[in-house]
Amino acid sequence: MSESMAVGRGSLVFLRAAVALQTALVFLSPVTAGVMLSAPEWHLLHSAASYGLFAAALVHLAAAVLVWRPGGGPPGPALSALVFLGGVLAQVGLGVAGVPALHVPLGVLLFAASVLQLCRVWGVLGRPRLTIGAGASSV
């Protein structure tokens, strides 16, 4: 994969914004969990952050599909977004079921995955896989 894929400007901006929002919310979730541990009556704050993360993961998936299908980009970001959404669903289920032994490590994994995806769409990890405009074969 030494070549980058050219996609529409709007699709790429939307994808970058969606992944940035998702990463901010996946960071906020453990912060609100800590608040909840010290003040249990604040559990609604953690719940709101969790469901906000779920919504952001859906937006991320939609943005990645737009980059892939009509945008002509690679399918990798869409697959990553789908796997992430599955992880978020599992995370919410484990939290509701009260299984912290799996809920906490999965949260750490989701944070790492979101930061990695953020770095990929912004091109922080070497060459960006996605570029703006038609006909771009390398960065």
Side-chain angles (χ1 to χ4, degrees):
M1 288 207 179
S2 62
E3 293 185 0
S4 60
M5 300 292 298
V7 297
R9 180 176 187 76
S11 296
L12 185 57
V13 169
F14 182 39
L15 178 62
R16 287 176 174 171
V19 177
L21 174 65
Q22 172 187 282
T23 304
L25 287 170
V26 80
F27 176 77
L28 182 63
S29 291
V31 172
T32 60
V35 171
M36 183 182 69
L37 289 174
S38 62
E41 63 275 6
W42 286 72
H43 74 280
L44 288 177
L45 185 63
H46 183 61
S47 182
S50 300
Y51 289 113
L53 175 59
F54 173 73
L58 283 174
V59 171
H60 173 200
L61 178 60
V65 168
L66 287 174
V67 164
W68 170 40
R69 295 306 287 171
L79 181 60
S80 295
L82 183 61
V83 170
F84 188 87
L85 179 61
V88 169
L89 286 171
Q91 180 73 344
V92 169
L94 290 168
V96 169
V99 186
L102 297 175
H103 182 73
V104 172
L106 181 56
V108 172
L109 181 64
L110 288 174
F111 178 69
S114 192
V115 169
L116 182 61
Q117 186 68 9
L118 184 66
C119 291
R120 284 184 176 154
V121 298
W122 282 96
V124 175
L125 297 175
R127 279 193 231 193
R129 293 182 179 195
L130 304 171
T131 58
I132 296 172
S137 62
S138 64
V139 176

